[in-house]
Each structure stands twice: as structure tokens, then as C-alpha cells.
Amino acid sequence: MSKVKKSLRIKVISIGNSEVGKSCIIKRYCEKRFVAKYLQTIGIDYGVTKVNLNNLELKVNIFDMSGHALFDQIRNEFYKDTQGAILVFDVTDKKSFESLENWIGEIKQELKTNSESIENIAFVVCGNKIDRGKRVVDEGDARIWALSKGFHYFETSASSGAGINEMFETLLTEIVSTFENGGKIKQTNTILSKDQIEAIQRLKNSKDNFERLGLKMGCSKEEINNSFRRLAKLLHPDKNIHPDSTEAFKILMNAKTDLMRNFS
Ligand SMILES: Nc1nc2c(ncn2[C@@H]2O[C@H](COP(=O)(O)OP(=O)(O)OP(=O)(O)O)[C@@H](O)[C@H]2O)c(=O)[nH]1
Ligand SMILES: [Mg+2]
């Protein structure tokens, strides 16, 4: 007899300025295709897609919102009971990046009137249209902004499909783990401090292990240990469950092991 999968209904919204590519990102994920012609979302579009994740069958209800100011009254109707939000900007349009704060403000305001809190929503930020030349928003700036809010960051292209599946997978996984932990997102455990962000960036982007630990080549064993201890304390998974922090922690462990080999 086949096992009946537990089914979970979840609600995801897409927000961001007009023409940043919200509808195309959703179309790419649900229908695996891209339409180059702009078809403005009128108020709101709604769709359901089924996704299997671990032992669960997710019925993902997607509310694709128009980014146009004209439709703010319609949008406001739909923020209630949201579990996941895809915040989109266009990497070739600086204003769309700068507007993200306003979009968070709009959600906050609306949730407040329903006595709900933004902290119960899992957010991902998409820097979209990376296939186009002439980007004006720097990846590092966008990533740091997202991380400082405790949001996941992805570089995406609805045109090529880059980053789209990974973005949805991360968002849905976070929503499910929130559900499995009793419905509350442990916000304090996913928000990264400035020190943590700087350490993560250095660990991920440095060209060698000395640089990763903030050390000079030829440093002593003691200096390596001190630096390792400081960073391990900062990024320990007990402190923060943000995936970037977990990944950086693994890089740190490997870097320390490799450096210590020189002394054995
Ligand atoms: N080159 C490129 N074009 C894209 C990409 N994503 C979307 N577009 C184009 O950008 C335009 C706007 O895309 P939409 O998905 O309709 O934008 P939207 O954010 O839903 O806009 P509203 O519904 O008005 O809020 C369309 O012409 C798309 O073809 C992308 O990743 N790369
Ligand atoms: Mg749209």
C-alpha cells in the first residue's frame, strides 16, 4: 500500500516595481517558459502549483501582484496570511532596488491592520534580469542589503532560468521548516549582524585560506587558532541558522584544517 503524503497549503506573494519580472519568474518556475513581450499584471494574478518537498505535498498558492501604484488598493487585500514573499528588483534599474524598502513598508503597514507580523513571513530577494548587459546594481550591495534584513538573496534571470529553481526551493524549504517548528519563524536566528556578514563575504570570496581567516601568509599557528576561534564563535550554527552562515562555517572549518596541515 502506498503511503499517503501529508499535504500542506501555503501562500506566496511576489512584490516589487512594475516590469522587474515578477510574473516572468513565476511563469519560468511553474511553466518552464519565458515570454519576452510585456504583459502587465492587472491588479493580481493567481495560480496554484504542486511541489513535492521531503515527505510533503505542497500546494503553493501564488499571488502575483502588480507593481503599479494604481493597484495598491487591490494588493492590500492580499497580504493577509502570507507565508512567503518574493521581493524582486531589476539589476539594470537602480530605482527598482531602492524601492524595496517601500515595498516592505507597504506589507508591514497592511499586516499591522490585520494584527499580523512581518516576522512570520519568509522572504527571498531576487536581483532579476542578470542576462542583460549594463547592470547598475552591484551584486555585493544587493546581497548585503538582503542579508542585513535576514532575507535570502538570489541573482536570477527569468529569461535563461538562472537561479529560479534554487530561489523557490530555498523559500519553500524555509516555509516548511517554519511550519514544522510550530508555525513561527525564528527571526532572531536568521538575521545576520554586520560582523557576521563581513566574515561570510570574506570566507566565501577570498582567494586563499590565509585571506579567508583575515591573516597574512606565514603567520603563526597561534594566530591561526585565535582567528579561527573568533570566527567560529561568530558563525556557529547554534547562533545563526541562516544558510549563508552555515555555508561559511563549513568553509571556515575546511580552511582551518588545511592551514593546520602546514604545521603537522
Ligand atoms: N532580459 C530579461 N527580460 C526579462 C526578465 N524577466 C522579465 N523580463 C521582461 O521584463 C518585462 C516585464 O516582465 P513582467 O514579468 O511582466 O514584470 P512584472 O514585474 O510582473 O510587472 P507588473 O506586472 O507590471 O508588476 C517583460 O517584457 C519581460 O519579458 C529577465 O530575466 N531577463
Ligand atoms: Mg506582473
Side-chain angles (χ1 to χ4, degrees):
M1 205 171 69
S2 69
K3 263 193 183 169
V4 179
K5 278 196 173 181
K6 202 162 149 191
S7 161
L8 189 66
R9 205 181 130 90
I10 60 183
K11 174 177 172 180
V12 168
I13 61 170
S14 67
I15 38 176
N17 280 9
S18 211
E19 291 190 53
V20 294
K22 300 179 293 296
S23 302
C24 287
I25 286 174
I26 291 162
K27 199 179 267 340
R28 165 61 74 187
Y29 181 64
C30 298
E31 298 171 27
K32 315 274 175 265
R33 64 193 183 98
F34 175 71
V35 180
K37 188 170 180 287
Y38 173 45
L39 297 160
Q40 185 188 32
T41 303
I42 308 296
I44 203 151
D45 272 334
Y46 170 70
V48 187
T49 186
K50 278 190 188 165
V51 180
N52 287 315
L53 198 84
N54 306 333
N55 298 321
L56 289 169
E57 184 189 73
L58 304 180
K59 288 199 181 86
V60 187
N61 295 254
I62 305 178
F63 292 79
D64 175 24
M65 305 217 179
S66 157
H68 206 283
L70 263 179
F71 299 113
D72 63 340
Q73 296 298 326
I74 300 183
R75 277 197 306 271
N76 289 344
E77 295 285 318
F78 292 93
Y79 286 132
K80 207 174 164 298
D81 296 324
T82 296
Q83 281 128 342
I86 306 168
L87 209 48
V88 185
F89 72 94
D90 174 348
V91 297
T92 70
D93 173 8
K94 187 121 194 152
K95 211 161 157 240
S96 71
F97 176 57
E98 289 164 351
S99 300
L100 294 180
E101 286 282 0
N102 300 341
W103 284 105
I104 296 170
E106 182 174 302
I107 306 182
K108 262 190 187 158
Q109 181 64 33
E110 199 46 39
L111 290 180
K112 223 163 103 186
T113 60
N114 291 315
S115 308
E116 286 185 42
S117 163
I118 199 165
E119 279 167 24
N120 297 328
I121 300 178
F123 278 88
V124 288
V125 180
C126 295
N128 192 41
K129 305 198 188 181
I130 55 166
D131 58 286
R132 291 180 74 189
K134 297 198 208 129
R135 75 179 287 159
V136 294
V137 182
D138 183 64
E139 179 182 345
D141 291 347
R143 197 174 281 282
I144 284 178
W145 178 83
L147 292 182
S148 71
K149 300 261 175 209
F151 302 164
H152 301 276
Y153 179 73
F154 290 89
E155 293 259 298
T156 59
S157 165
S159 169
S160 73
I164 308 282
N165 284 342
E166 294 88 318
M167 178 274 288
F168 269 97
E169 209 178 293
T170 300
L171 179 66
L172 298 178
T173 304
E174 177 152 342
I175 294 170
V176 167
S177 78
T178 301
F179 168 77
E180 286 171 342
N181 284 323
K184 280 245 170 215
I185 289 177
K186 286 188 201 153
Q187 197 73 8
T188 45
N189 263 355
T190 55
I191 290 182
L192 297 167
S193 69
K194 193 165 168 280
D195 284 352
Q196 286 171 327
I197 292 169
E198 272 169 18
I200 290 168
Q201 298 275 317
R202 202 178 57 222
L203 280 159
K204 286 173 104 172
N205 301 329
S206 292
K207 59 181 185 313
D208 63 47
N209 287 331
F210 291 105
E211 202 180 310
R212 280 186 193 102
L213 269 75
L215 298 165
K216 294 242 154 57
M217 214 184 269
C219 63
S220 69
K221 193 174 170 179
E222 203 182 0
E223 283 173 306
I224 295 171
N225 264 327
N226 285 342
S227 174
F228 168 73
R229 263 201 299 274
R230 189 183 62 78
L231 288 166
K233 236 168 131 179
L234 190 67
L235 300 172
H236 197 280
D238 275 357
K239 289 249 176 64
N240 205 301
I241 54 162
H242 194 290
D244 283 315
S245 181
T246 314
E247 190 190 337
F249 188 74
K250 280 186 201 148
I251 297 172
L252 172 67
M253 301 302 281
N254 290 337
K256 181 229 175 194
T257 309
D258 275 347
L259 285 173
M260 281 307 185
R261 273 203 194 107
N262 299 331
F263 294 94
S264 59

